[in-house]
Amino acid sequence: MSISLLFSIFLCRVFRYTISNSRFSLLQTCSHSDYCQLCVKVYSKRSIAFVSSTDGLLCAYDFSFVEKLSRSTTIRLHQSGINDLDCTEIESTNQLRLATVGDDGSVHTVQFDPENWLWKQEFSQNCIHQSPATGKIKLIFTCEMKIS
């Protein structure tokens, strides 16, 4: 048995695939927005799917219990579509850091706490681009050290 996530238009569908009879079974359907979903990033270590949409929302779906309706939480980051996102784990806090770019030309980073399902805005820069930011974003962090 395997689990498949399918994101289309404004719906997320969760299917179970059974190898013995080569069949897909629909387990659940959910949505966080009435707008088109643009980008999906799955953090498989915690069974979380992050989904962006054309209305500037970023949603986290919990797929750790696929037999039940998925828990979700949403944050509005952009005035319009989120074109790309990236996710990395902050090992010292066991939280996740997500970066997004959007049609509005802005860049945002947020922390997501997967234990309490809470968002924390970290960085926001509006109009960093004169045109929509459509390229790929990749989280890269540097460490600053002071030597005395």
Side-chain angles (χ1 to χ4, degrees), residues 51 56-57 71 73 84 100 104 118-120 126 138 140:
V51 183
L57 294 176
R71 164 174 63 161
T73 181
D84 198 21
T100 63
D104 57 5
L118 297 173
W119 299 99
K120 178 184 174 190
N126 292 325
K138 185 71 178 162
I140 300 172

Side-chain angles (χ1 to χ4, degrees), residues 35-141:
Y35 292 81
C36 292
Q37 298 178 13
L38 293 174
C39 195
V40 177
K41 191 67 86 168
V42 176
Y43 189 72
S44 57
K45 185 176 175 182
R46 301 252 185 153
S47 301
I48 300 171
F50 294 99
V51 183
S52 68
S53 52
T54 57
D55 58 354
L57 294 176
L58 179 61
C59 182
Y61 287 105
D62 179 4
F63 290 104
S64 56
F65 304 103
V66 294
E67 300 294 335
K68 298 189 313 184
L69 188 61
S70 293
R71 164 174 63 161
S72 66
T73 181
T74 304
I75 185 172
R76 179 174 300 282
L77 295 175
H78 294 265
Q79 296 173 9
S80 53
I82 298 174
N83 295 325
D84 198 21
L85 63 106
D86 195 22
C87 175
T88 188
E89 185 172 0
I90 306 169
E91 291 183 18
S92 61
T93 63
N94 291 321
Q95 294 189 1
L96 303 174
R97 176 173 285 128
L98 291 103
T100 63
V101 294
D103 282 340
D104 57 5
S106 65
V107 175
H108 297 270
T109 61
V110 291
Q111 284 186 24
F112 181 73
D113 179 353
E115 298 299 321
N116 299 304
W117 280 74
L118 297 173
W119 299 99
K120 178 184 174 190
Q121 186 93 28
E122 230 180 5
F123 172 80
S124 177
Q125 181 65 50
N126 292 325
C127 300
I128 201 164
H129 299 276
Q130 291 182 358
S131 59
T134 58
K136 295 291 181 186
I137 188 166
K138 185 71 178 162
L139 284 171
I140 300 172
F141 295 97

Side-chain angles (χ1 to χ4, degrees), residues 3-21:
I3 301 299
S4 299
L5 305 176
L6 173 66
F7 293 89
S8 64
I9 309 296
F10 58 92
L11 290 176
C12 169
R13 292 184 176 101
V14 182
F15 293 91
R16 176 190 305 125
Y17 179 71
T18 308
I19 297 170
S20 60
N21 62 6

